[in-house]
C-alpha cells in the first residue's frame, strides 16, 4: 500500500512540475521577446498602442460630452462594486484588517511575512507601487508611506465594520480620485445605549519541532501568529454616538529565511516580532445635519522589508489620523458636504535595532467641500478639494509643501433601462496640471441582463504618487545605500492611464447571477523601479541595484467570469475566474507585472444553517509566478530563495458559533487546510497549515 | 491510508445508524465523562519516549446535527534509558463534532476533533524552551453502555495526528465512566 501511495504522490508532483515548467518557460520566452523589444525601442511607448496619447483624449472627451450633454435622461449609474459584508468577514474568521485581502478575488496580494501586503488592484498598478487607496466612511486615509501601505496600522476596530466596498477600477470618492482601485470601509453605528466588545484571537502554524527539538531531527521553531486583542466601548442615542477602541497585535518573524535577515539589523534579546498598539475613536452628532469626528493613533514596532536595501529594517512606525466631516442634509436631495482630515506617518529607529534610521515623516492635510443635488432623473456633485503634504527627513530633507488643489464634478442621468455617469477632476501638482475623466454607462436591456461599461482617462504628475523615488529626488536618502545604488531619472514623466471595464451580468432570479467581464488598461509614461538583486551571503539578504525608469509603457488585459448561486437560503456559493496578461510592454514594465499570476480562480461556499452557526470555506488557485528580478539571487543563494513560485491551491475553512444570545462568538479556522507549501514572494516566508481561533464578547442591545 | 479508511468507515457506520434516530434538542443534556487513556501504537516517537497511562475528561452535548464536545487529555511521556532527551507531559485540549446512534442500552459515537497539543518539557534536566503547542487533529469512535440511570461505561479508540515537523501519529484507547444530566437552564441559554 505504501508503494502505491508514493506512486500517486510521485505522479502528482510530476504533473505539478510540468505545469510549473510550462508556465514559467512561456513567460520567460515572453520576457526575452521584450528584452529584444526594449533593445529596439528603448523605453518609448509601445508603437502597438491602440490608444496613442494624441488620439485618446479626444475620444474620451467625446464620451464625456456625450454623457454630460446628450443623454436624454439622468441617472445614478455606478461602476460595478463588490461588497464584503460584516457577516462574510466574521464568518470567514478574519480578525486582522490586513487579512481582508484574502477575501478579495479581483485584487492580488503578496506578502513576505504575512503581515505587510503588497497589493495590486485588478490590473491597475503593479505590486511595487501600492497605489490603491483607503477610505473610511467617506474620508481618505493616507496609509502609503515610501511606496508601501500596511492596512493593519489603521486604528479601526474590526467590530465596527459594516461593509467594505471594493472598487476594482478608478473611482472618485469624497473628492479624491483613486486611480488604482480603492477599499472603502463603512462602519456601523453602535447600538443605542451602552455597548462593549472585546476580542481575542491567535493562530498557530504547523511544523513546530515538538519534542524532536532535542533530537537530531530538530527543525526551526515556528511561533504563533498573534495574539490579537481588541476592546471597544460605545454610547449612542438618537443625537449621535461616541465610540472608542484599543487594540494590540503581535506577529512573529520566525521563518528561518526572514529571521536570519532580520538579525542583521535587529539586536533584541527577545525573538524578533512585530508589535502593534493602536487606539482610536469616533463620534457623530445628528444636529444641523450629520457631523462626524474621528481620530486614532497606531504604533507599529516594525520589521519592514525594503527591497532597495534588501533587508528587514527595524522601525518604529507611528501613524496618526484625525478628521471631521459633515453633511448638511443627509437625507435630502440637495445638500452640502465638507471633510477635513489630517494624517501623519513617522518612521523612527526601533529600540532594539542597530540604530539604522529611515528617518522619514510625512504630514498630510486634505480638505474638501462639495454640493450635491438630486432629482428623480438627474443627480450631480460639484466640489473643491485640496491636498497639502509635507515631508521631513532629518538634515537631508525638509520638503517644500506640496499643495494640490482639485476641482471636480460628477453628473448622472437615469431612465428605466439606461443610466450613465460622468466624472471629471482637474488638479495642479508641483506646477503641473493633471486630470481624470470617467464615464460609466449601464444598460438593462431586459430585467435579467445588465451591461456596464466604465471608461477612464488620467494624466497625473508623478508627485501625486507619493513614492519613495519622488522623495529621493527631493533629497531623501535611504540608509545603508551606496551613492550609486539607486539611479533616478532627471525628471519624472507625467503618467497617463486609460482604462476600460466592461461587464455583462445575467441574473434570471435573485438566487443566480452569472457575469463575464473584461478589463483593459493602457499605461503611458509611467515610472517603475527596475531592481537587480544579488544574494548577499553575509546577511543572507540582497544587494540591490535600483534603476528607476520613467517613460515606460505597457498594458494589461483581463478576462473574468463569476457565478453566484443559492440553492437554498442557507447555502451561498460563488465561483470566480480571472485571466491576466501584459502583452506588448516594456521590459521594466513586464518585470514589475510578472509576479502576478496569469490565472486565478476561487470557489467560496457559505453555509448558514442556523442564525448562530456558520461554515465558511474558500478554495483559491493561483498559477505559477516568475520573479525575474530574483533570478540571480535565487541562483546564488543555493536554494534559500526561489525565483519561480509554483502554482498553489489554498483552502481555508472556518466554523463559527455564537452563544449566549449573541454575546459570545467563537471561530475556529483552518487556513491552508491542504497543507500546501505556500510562498508568496521569493524572499518571503514559507507557510503551511494554520489553526486560528477567535473569541469575541459583546454586551449591548 | 488504512487509518483514514478506518476513520471514514467508522463515521459512515455511525452516520448510517444515526439516520432516522430520534433527535434530542440541541444542548438539552450534558454528558460528563472521565476515564483513563493509553497510547497503544509504537512508532518513531517511541524510539525516544515511552508512553504512560493518561487521564481524559470531556463534555458532550447534542448539537443541531449529531453532537458537539469539548474536552482534554493528559499524557505523560517518559524517556528511554539512558535519557538522551527530556520527558514531557502532553495536554490535548480539543473541540469536536460527531454523529451518534442509540442501540438500546448501547450508544455508538464517531467524530472528529481539532485541538491544541501542548507539550511541557522537563526543563530540570535539559535547558531550552519549556513548552510548545501544536495543532492536533483526531478521529475517534466510542461505545457506551448505560449501566444504571444516567451512568454509562464507555470504551473508545482514536487516531491522533499532531502536526509537528516530524508528525506524531498516535493511536489511543480509553475507558471510563460517563454521567448524563439535564443542562441547567442558564447554561442552555448560553449555549444556544
Amino acid at each position: 500500500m505504501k508503494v502505491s501511495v508514493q506512486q500517486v504522490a510521485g505522479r502528482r508532483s510530476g504533473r505539478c512540475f510540468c505545469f510549473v515548467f510550462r508556465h514559467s518557460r512561456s513567460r520567460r520566452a515572453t520576457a526575452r521577446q521584450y528584452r529584444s523589444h526594449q533593445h529596439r525601442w528603448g523605453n518609448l511607448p509601445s508603437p502597438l498602442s491602440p490608444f496613442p496619447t494624441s488620439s485618446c483624449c479626444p475620444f474620451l472627451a467625446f464620451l464625456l460630452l456625450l454623457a454630460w450633454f446628450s443623454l436624454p435622461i439622468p441617472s445614478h449609474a455606478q461602476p460595478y462594486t463588490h461588497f464584503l459584508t460584516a457577516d462574510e468577514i466574521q464568518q470567514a474568521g478574519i480578525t486582522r484588517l490586513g487579512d481582508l485581502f484574502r477575501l478579495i478575488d479581483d485584487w492580488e496580494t503578496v506578502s513576505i511575512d504575512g503581515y505587510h501586503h503588497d497589493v495590486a488592484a485588478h490590473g491597475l498598478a503593479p505590486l511595487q507601487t501600492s497605489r490603491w487607496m483607503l477610505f473610511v466612511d467617506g474620508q481618505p486615509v493616507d496609509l502609503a508611506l515610501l511606496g508601501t501601505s500596511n492596512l493593519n496600522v489603521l486604528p479601526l476596530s474590526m467590530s465596527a465594520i459594516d461593509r467594505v466596498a471594493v472598487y476594482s477600477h478608478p473611482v472618485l470618492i469624497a473628492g479624491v480620485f483613486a486611480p488604482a482601485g480603492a477599499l472603502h470601509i463603512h462602519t456601523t453605528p453602535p447600538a443605542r445605549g451602552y455597548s462593549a466588545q472585546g476580542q481575542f484571537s491567535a493562530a498557530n502554524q504547523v511544523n513546530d519541532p515538538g519534542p524532536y527539538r532535542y533530537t537530531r531531527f530538530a527543525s526551526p521553531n515556528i511561533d504563533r501568529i498573534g495574539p490579537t486583542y481588541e476592546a471597544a466601548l460605545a454610547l449612542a442615542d438618537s443625537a449621535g454616538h461616541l465610540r472608542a477602541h484599543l487594540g494590540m497585535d503581535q506577529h512573529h518573524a520566525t521563518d528561518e529565511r526572514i529571521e536570519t535577515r532580520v538579525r542583521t539589523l535587529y539586536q533584541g534579546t527577545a525573538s524578533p516580532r512585530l508589535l502593534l498598539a493602536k487606539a482610536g475613536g469616533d463620534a457623530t452628532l445628528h444636529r444641523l445635519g450629520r457631523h462626524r469626528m474621528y481620530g486614532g493613533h497606531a504604533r507599529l514596532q516594525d520589521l519592514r522589508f525594503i527591497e532597495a536595501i534588501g533587508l528587514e529594517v527595524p522601525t518604529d512606525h507611528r501613524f496618526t489620523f484625525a478628521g471631521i466631516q459633515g453633511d448638511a442634509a443627509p437625507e435630502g436631495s440637495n445638500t452640502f458636504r465638507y471633510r477635513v482630515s489630517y494624517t501623519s506617518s513617522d518612521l523612527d529607529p526601533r529600540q532594539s535595532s542597530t540604530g539604522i534610521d529611515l528617518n522619514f515623516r510625512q504630514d498630510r492635510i486634505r480638505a474638501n467641500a462639495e454640493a450635491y443635488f438630486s432629482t428623480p432623473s438627474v443627480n450631480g456633485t460639484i466640489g473643491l478639494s485640496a491636498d497639502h503634504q509635507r515631508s521631513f527627513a532629518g538634515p537631508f530633507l525638509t520638503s517644500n509643501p506640496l499643495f494640490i488643489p482639485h476641482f471636480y464634478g460628477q453628473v448622472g442621468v437615469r431612465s428605466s433601462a439606461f443610466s450613465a455617469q460622468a466624472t471629471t477632476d482637474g488638479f495642479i501638482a508641483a506646477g503641473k496640471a493633471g486630470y481624470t475623466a470617467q464615464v460609466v454607462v449601464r444598460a438593462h436591456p431586459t430585467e435579467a441582463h445588465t451591461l456596464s461599461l466604465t471608461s477612464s482617462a488620467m494624466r497625473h504628475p508623478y508627485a501625486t504618487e507619493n513614492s519613495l523615488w519622488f522623495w529621493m529626488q527631493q533629497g531623501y536618502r535611504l540608509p545603508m545605500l551606496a551613492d550609486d545604488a539607486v539611479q533616478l531619472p532627471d525628471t519624472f514623466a507625467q503618467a497617463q492611464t486609460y482604462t476600460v471595464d466592461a461587464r455583462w451580468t445575467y441574473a434570471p432570479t435573485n438566487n443566480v447571477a452569472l457575469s463575464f467581464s473584461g478589463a483593459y488598461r493602457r499605461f503611458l509614461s509611467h515610472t517603475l523601479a527596475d531592481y537587480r538583486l544579488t544574494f548577499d551571503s553575509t546577511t543572507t539578504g540582497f544587494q540591490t541595484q535600483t534603476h528607476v525608469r520613467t517613460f515606460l509603457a505597457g498594458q494589461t488585459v483581463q478576462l473574468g467570469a463569476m457565478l453566484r448561486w443559492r440553492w437554498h437560503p442557507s447555502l451561498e456559493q460563488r465561483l470566480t475566474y480571472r485571466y491576466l496578461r501584459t502583452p506588448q510592454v516594456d521590459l521594466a514594465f513586464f518585470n514589475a507585472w510578472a509576479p502576478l499570476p496569469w490565472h486565478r480562480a476561487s470557489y467560496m461556499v457559505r453555509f448558514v444553517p442556523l442564525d448562530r452557526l456558520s461554515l465558511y470555506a474558500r478554495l483559491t488557485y493561483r498559477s505559477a509566478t516568475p520573479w525575474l528580478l530574483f533570478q540571480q539571487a535565487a541562483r546564488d543563494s543555493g536554494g534559500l530563495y526561489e525565483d519561480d513560485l509554483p502554482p498553489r491551491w489554498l483552502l481555508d475553512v472556518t466554523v463559527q458559533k455564537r452563544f449566549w444570545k449573541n454575546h459570545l462568538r467563537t471561530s475556529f479556522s483552518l487556513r491552508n487546510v491542504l497543507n500546501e507549501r505556500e510562498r508568496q514572494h521569493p524572499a518571503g516566508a514559507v507557510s503551511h497549515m494554520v489553526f486560528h481561533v477567535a473569541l469575541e464578547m459583546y454586551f449591548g442591545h | 491510508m488504512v487509518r483514514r479508511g478506518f476513520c471514514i468507515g467508522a463515521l459512515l457506520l455511525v452516520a448510517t445508524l444515526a439516520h432516522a434516530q430520534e433527535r434530542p434538542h440541541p444542548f438539552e443534556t450534558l454528558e460528563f465523562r472521565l476515564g483513563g487513556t493509553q497510547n497503544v501504537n509504537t512508532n518513531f516517537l517511541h524510539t525516544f519516549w515511552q508512553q504512560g497511562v493518561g487521564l481524559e475528561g470531556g463534555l458532550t452535548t447534542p448539537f443541531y446535527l449529531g453532537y458537539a464536545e469539548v474536552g482534554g487529555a493528559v499524557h505523560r511521556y517518559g524517556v528511554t534509558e539512558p535519557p538522551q532527551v527530556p520527558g514531557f507531559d502532553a495536554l490535548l485540549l480539543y473541540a469536536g463534532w460527531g454523529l451518534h446512534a442509540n442501540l438500546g442500552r448501547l450508544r455508538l459515537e464517531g467524530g472528529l476533533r481539532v485541538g491544541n497539543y501542548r507539550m511541557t518539557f522537563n526543563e530540570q534536566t535539559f535547558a531550552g524552551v519549556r513548552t510548545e503547542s501544536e495543532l492536533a487533529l483526531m478521529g475517534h469512535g466510542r461505545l457506551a453502555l448505560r449501566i444504571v440511570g444516567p451512568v454509562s461505561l464507555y470504551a473508545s479508540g482514536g487516531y491522533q495526528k499532531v502536526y509537528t515537523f516530524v508528525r506524531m501519529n498516535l493511536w489511543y484507547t480509553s475507558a471510563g465512566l460517563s454521567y448524563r444530566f439535564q443542562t441547567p437552564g442558564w447554561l442552555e441559554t448560553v449555549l444556544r
Side-chain angles (χ1 to χ4, degrees):
Chain A
M1 183 60 79
K2 264 186 183 172
V3 172
S4 69
V5 170
Q6 285 164 355
Q7 283 170 345
V8 170
R11 282 204 301 274
R12 278 183 181 161
S13 59
R15 200 161 47 221
C16 191
F17 174 75
C18 292
F19 191 63
V20 177
F21 180 71
R22 195 165 56 244
H23 274 267
S24 49
R25 193 175 63 164
S26 60
R27 295 185 78 169
R28 278 180 174 156
T30 316
R32 278 199 298 275
Q33 287 166 12
Y34 290 115
R35 279 193 200 102
S36 155
H37 167 76
Q38 194 199 35
H39 180 69
R40 272 184 283 144
W41 298 101
N43 284 334
L44 292 172
S46 165
L48 300 173
S49 161
F51 280 147
T53 322
S54 55
S55 65
C56 190
C57 289
F59 167 72
L60 281 157
F62 170 74
L63 283 177
L64 274 174
L65 285 172
L66 185 73
W68 276 74
F69 300 115
S70 307
L71 293 172
I73 315 171
S75 122
H76 307 294
Q78 294 289 329
Y80 172 79
T81 308
H82 177 64
F83 287 95
L84 298 174
T85 62
D87 278 350
E88 182 175 355
I89 293 167
Q90 289 166 3
Q91 287 163 5
I94 301 295
T95 55
R96 276 180 179 166
L97 287 165
D99 287 344
L100 288 172
F101 293 118
R102 301 175 77 92
L103 308 182
I104 303 174
D105 292 321
D106 286 342
W107 291 28
E108 286 302 329
T109 55
V110 164
S111 180
I112 287 183
D113 56 6
Y115 200 78
H116 299 85
H117 301 270
D118 291 331
V119 179
H122 204 50
L124 286 164
L127 291 165
Q128 66 168 249
T129 59
S130 193
R131 293 197 66 204
W132 64 279
M133 290 195 68
L134 175 70
F135 296 82
V136 178
D137 287 331
Q139 281 278 25
V141 181
D142 295 298
L143 285 179
L145 188 65
L146 299 181
T148 62
S149 301
N150 185 353
L151 187 54
N152 287 316
V153 299
L154 178 69
L156 179 76
S157 167
M158 287 295 300
S159 63
I161 296 177
D162 179 58
R163 66 191 186 282
V164 180
V166 182
Y167 296 93
S168 301
H169 43 71
V171 63
L172 178 79
I173 302 172
V176 177
F177 209 96
L183 285 189
H184 191 173
I185 298 175
H186 298 266
T187 62
T188 184
R192 284 200 173 189
Y194 293 96
S195 58
Q197 174 263 346
Q199 180 174 288
F200 163 82
S201 67
N204 192 23
Q205 191 184 146
V206 301
N207 286 349
D208 274 339
Y212 297 105
R213 66 164 59 248
Y214 300 100
T215 73
R216 64 180 183 280
F217 304 100
S219 59
N221 189 46
I222 301 169
D223 267 327
R224 64 191 183 281
I225 299 162
T228 301
Y229 305 95
E230 261 191 25
L233 282 170
L235 169 64
D237 67 9
S238 58
H241 77 254
L242 278 169
R243 177 165 50 192
H245 81 273
L246 290 166
M248 296 182 77
D249 194 6
Q250 286 188 36
H251 190 81
H252 300 254
T254 53
D255 180 87
E256 56 181 324
R257 298 147 204 88
I258 293 179
E259 186 169 6
T260 315
R261 287 199 310 262
V262 163
R263 292 280 183 194
T264 308
L265 300 173
Y266 175 86
Q267 294 186 331
T269 48
S271 64
R273 70 188 76 179
L274 290 83
L275 298 166
L276 174 72
K278 58 185 182 181
D282 67 314
T284 57
L285 181 65
H286 299 169
R287 298 249 168 94
L288 299 173
R290 183 171 56 202
H291 308 272
R292 178 170 178 265
M293 286 163 287
Y294 58 88
H297 179 77
R299 181 186 180 195
L300 174 63
Q301 295 182 66
D302 203 356
L303 298 164
R304 178 185 167 115
F305 181 81
I306 297 181
E307 218 141 35
I309 296 177
L311 286 172
E312 277 78 2
V313 179
T315 55
D316 195 342
H317 179 186
R318 287 180 165 88
F319 176 77
T320 305
F321 85 127
I324 184 168
Q325 66 188 82
D327 192 329
E331 311 300 332
S333 55
N334 303 308
T335 188
F336 170 79
R337 299 173 186 139
Y338 68 91
R339 304 174 184 94
V340 181
S341 68
Y342 164 79
T343 55
S344 172
S345 297
D346 195 358
L347 296 177
D348 285 322
R350 194 171 160 175
Q351 270 186 345
S352 48
S353 75
T354 52
I356 183 170
D357 190 358
L358 290 179
N359 193 15
F360 190 81
R361 179 179 148 199
Q362 187 170 66
D363 295 343
R364 202 159 181 174
I365 298 171
R366 288 181 186 269
N368 162 244
E370 68 181 21
Y372 171 81
F373 73 93
S374 174
T375 69
S377 54
V378 184
N379 69 76
T381 305
I382 190 163
L384 285 168
S385 63
D387 177 3
H388 177 279
Q389 44 182 293
R390 187 161 193 165
S391 298
F392 309 88
F396 304 113
L397 167 71
T398 300
S399 74
N400 292 322
L402 186 61
F403 180 70
I404 308 174
H406 289 255
F407 173 74
Y408 64 91
Q410 190 171 62
V411 65
V413 295
R414 177 176 64 183
S415 73
S416 58
F418 176 83
S419 59
Q421 177 182 277
T423 306
T424 185
D425 171 29
F427 58 92
I428 297 172
K432 293 177 180 170
Y435 72 88
T436 307
Q438 185 180 65
V439 176
V440 181
V441 180
R442 179 172 280 207
H444 304 273
T446 69
E447 200 170 314
H449 295 269
T450 305
L451 297 165
S452 68
L453 182 72
T454 304
S455 176
S456 309
M458 293 166 275
R459 183 185 177 91
H460 285 189
Y462 190 63
T464 60
E465 292 195 18
N466 191 25
S467 79
L468 169 63
W469 318 122
F470 175 77
W471 293 113
M472 287 189 78
Q473 197 197 44
Q474 300 293 305
Y476 175 63
R477 293 284 174 268
L478 271 177
M480 294 179 62
L481 288 190
D483 287 343
D484 61 347
V486 178
Q487 294 176 46
L488 297 169
D490 295 333
T491 56
F492 292 107
Q494 287 203 64
Q496 298 163 59
T497 311
Y498 305 97
T499 70
V500 179
D501 292 79
R503 178 176 291 267
W504 167 64
T505 303
Y506 173 61
T509 71
N510 285 337
N511 294 327
V512 179
L514 172 68
S515 73
F516 293 96
S517 60
Y520 174 76
R521 286 86 170 82
R522 176 73 183 144
F523 304 93
L524 297 173
S525 302
H526 274 245
T527 300
L528 293 170
D530 200 4
Y531 298 104
R532 288 287 171 268
L533 295 113
T534 51
F535 180 63
D536 182 346
S537 56
T538 316
T539 64
T540 71
F542 303 92
Q543 299 271 5
T544 309
Q545 284 287 326
T546 309
H547 190 171
V548 181
R549 299 180 190 276
T550 192
F551 291 105
L552 293 173
Q555 53 198 342
T556 62
V557 179
Q558 289 175 101
L559 298 172
M562 188 271 290
L563 175 63
R564 177 180 58 78
W565 75 104
R566 282 176 190 269
W567 276 337
H568 186 269
S570 64
L571 182 65
E572 180 188 353
Q573 294 166 90
R574 189 170 65 232
L575 187 63
T576 65
Y577 170 73
R578 192 272 290 138
Y579 175 66
L580 166 74
R581 287 297 296 269
T582 53
Q584 312 287 344
V585 297
D586 290 332
L587 176 63
F589 186 94
F590 181 84
N591 286 341
W593 284 87
L596 296 180
W598 283 359
H599 302 274
R600 175 177 166 147
S602 75
Y603 170 68
M604 183 278 290
V605 58
R606 194 149 58 117
F607 181 48
V608 190
L610 300 156
D611 181 37
R612 292 178 183 153
L613 178 69
S614 66
L615 174 73
Y616 183 98
R618 169 178 286 270
L619 178 66
T620 309
Y621 168 77
R622 287 181 181 84
S623 60
T625 50
W627 292 71
L628 305 172
L629 302 178
F630 283 80
Q631 269 179 352
Q632 179 70 36
R635 251 197 315 270
D636 298 343
S637 71
L640 187 64
Y641 300 121
E642 301 164 53
D643 61 323
D644 254 329
L645 302 187
R648 58 186 195 270
W649 290 91
L650 291 179
L651 174 64
D652 298 345
V653 178
T654 300
V655 178
Q656 184 175 98
K657 173 79 177 84
R658 284 184 282 169
F659 298 96
W660 193 9
K661 298 178 179 174
N662 295 337
H663 291 309
L664 179 64
R665 188 172 67 216
T666 56
S667 296
F668 298 92
S669 303
L670 280 176
R671 294 180 182 163
N672 190 3
V673 177
L674 304 176
N675 204 19
E676 286 249 322
R677 182 180 183 276
E678 185 193 9
R679 188 178 215 178
Q680 299 182 10
H681 188 282
V686 174
S687 62
H688 291 87
M689 182 162 55
V690 170
F691 177 49
H692 183 269
V693 183
L695 185 68
E696 183 185 341
M697 294 198 78
Y698 174 83
F699 295 98
H701 293 288
Chain B
M1 184 64 81
V2 173
R3 290 162 184 160
R4 280 185 195 172
F6 171 82
C7 292
I8 293 168
L11 203 58
L12 284 175
L13 173 66
V14 176
T16 308
L17 293 171
H19 186 67
Q21 295 253 331
E22 188 180 346
R23 196 177 292 174
H25 295 298
F27 313 112
E28 185 182 21
T29 60
L30 281 175
E31 185 180 63
F32 173 72
R33 63 177 186 281
L34 191 66
T37 175
Q38 173 72 47
N39 168 217
V40 291
N41 66 323
T42 302
N43 58 24
F44 182 64
L45 179 80
H46 304 92
T47 313
F48 303 97
W49 292 277
Q50 288 176 331
Q51 63 272 48
V53 175
L55 187 68
E56 70 164 18
L59 282 169
T60 304
T61 185
F63 204 52
Y64 304 98
L65 175 66
Y67 66 89
E69 62 175 346
V70 291
V74 183
H75 298 100
R76 172 157 288 183
Y77 284 86
V79 294
T80 53
E81 291 295 335
Q84 302 167 329
V85 291
F88 67 94
D89 295 330
L91 170 65
L92 171 72
L93 294 175
Y94 63 83
W97 173 86
L99 296 169
H100 59 87
N102 292 319
L103 308 165
R105 294 167 71 90
L106 280 176
R107 178 182 167 90
L108 184 62
E109 296 177 353
L112 299 168
R113 292 169 176 168
V114 57
N116 185 58
Y117 195 74
R118 183 183 171 89
M119 294 154 275
T120 305
F121 303 105
N122 180 355
E123 67 168 3
Q124 290 170 349
T125 49
F126 287 83
V129 178
R130 180 145 191 259
T131 62
E132 188 157 289
S133 292
E134 191 50 275
L135 169 73
L137 297 180
M138 190 173 184
H140 79 109
R142 182 165 55 230
L143 186 65
L145 172 68
R146 188 155 50 83
I147 47 176
V148 52
V151 180
S152 300
L153 187 66
Y154 75 85
S156 66
Y159 170 69
Q160 175 183 308
K161 175 177 273 195
V162 183
Y163 280 80
T164 46
F165 185 75
V166 179
R167 300 283 191 261
M168 297 165 67
N169 301 312
L170 304 167
W171 282 92
Y172 288 104
T173 56
S174 311
L177 290 170
S178 67
Y179 176 76
R180 179 169 301 192
F181 56 97
Q182 200 72 24
T183 307
W186 64 269
L187 185 56
E188 197 172 342
T189 305
V190 168
L191 293 173
R192 281 182 193 278

